[in-house]
Amino acid sequence: MGTIVESWTEWDPLRHVIVGRATDCHIPPNEPALEAKVPEDSDMRGQHGKRPQEMIDKGNELLDNFAAMLEGRGIIVDRPTPTDFSLPVTTPDFHTDSQFGCMPPRDVLLTVGKEILEATMSYRCRWFEYLCYRPLMQRYFDEDPGFRHEAAPKPRLTDADYHDNYLSEKIGVEQRLKWAAEKHFVTTEEEPLFDAADVLRFGKDLVVQHGFTTNLKGIEWLKRHFPDHRVHTVNFPGDPYPIHIDATFTPLRPGLILNNPQRRLPDDQRGLFERNGWEIVDAAQPAHNQPPALCYSSVWLSMNVLALDDKTVCVEASEVYQADQLDKLGFEVVPVDLRDAYAFGGGLHCCTADVRREGGLQDYFP
Ligand code: NVA
């Protein structure tokens, strides 16, 4: 059977998915967007170059096992084609010495209905990452006459895209939280910027985090691009490094969302959910005090879960508290060993991108 691209939510029954790869993943050299994002106490500060091969092999083994488990449940799995990430990126506007990788397709590809949209991205080292998915996009285009392959305008990513007061090694969490509350993020409003992982799909509604990787112009661009959707902007002022919404706010099924208790959705942004009877519950505590070595993400990858349908959720195997909470909320929990792949770009939601989930477009917030 040929491919069908169609997915409207984060929880409808998953039938076809892309799972990333750790192959050739690099720690990119410093650049403005990364400088602001890498936590000040991180072991990654000042490092760059290809990641250790034994860590890459282990990451790939876990990603391959995850893909095989999904296939065992009847889900079609596709994989990206890595490019040579040691190559520099040079445009008329910027140069950076190496690239990143293709473990987290969720950051790059936004599937909305029958469309897959390549995000602008906001890091220079990730400017060409969409190329890893082009072989798949070409195949989907050939196989599915209804597939819309779209790419948002490539940004210039000059220094004008970044606030220089973020470009300092020592800002301090207090100052960062103050800026987050003021909605002063590293990216400026020079041009539209968004990462796909700042967007959550709730049928007719798209919920988008304004933060380091997505600016207001990026959200305005999404509004104009999806005129039949309602696009909502959200912020989580408790997050000093606000990138990607999927370790902060996790819809699990119609009516239920997990929210990171350190990054609660402010009261004045809850109306949409409350008016429609949705429950927003605090996520369980992570099982770990620290992320694994050389990892960009926080311990809250515990809540970066992948719903296979509205009753079944994949949870990282060591995240026992998160698994227990989901079990109590009535889900079948599928444990997946992925922690040693976190360093390549995230958890179970990050390392996947939807191609097809069953079910059509619904209005959950009428
Ligand atoms: N900002 C997130 C990224 C998770 C995908 C974090 O908590 O690290």
Side-chain angles (χ1 to χ4, degrees), residues 37 239 241 243-244 246-247 263 296-298 300-301 304 350:
K37 194 264 168 283
D239 187 356
Y241 300 95
I243 81 151
H244 303 166
D246 50 353
R263 309 173 186 167
Y296 285 106
S297 308
S298 72
W300 290 100
L301 287 181
N304 189 262
C350 302

Side-chain angles (χ1 to χ4, degrees), residues 209-252:
Q209 170 173 241
H210 173 211
F212 282 6
T213 36
T214 294
N215 63 10
L216 292 174
K217 270 197 186 149
I219 299 175
E220 176 60 25
W221 190 91
L222 286 165
K223 281 185 185 165
R224 295 187 199 181
H225 185 73
F226 293 115
D228 298 331
H229 279 74
R230 293 174 296 236
V231 177
H232 310 272
T233 305
V234 290
N235 297 101
F236 301 93
D239 187 356
Y241 300 95
I243 81 151
H244 303 166
I245 195 168
D246 50 353
T248 298
F249 205 61
T250 303
L252 294 168

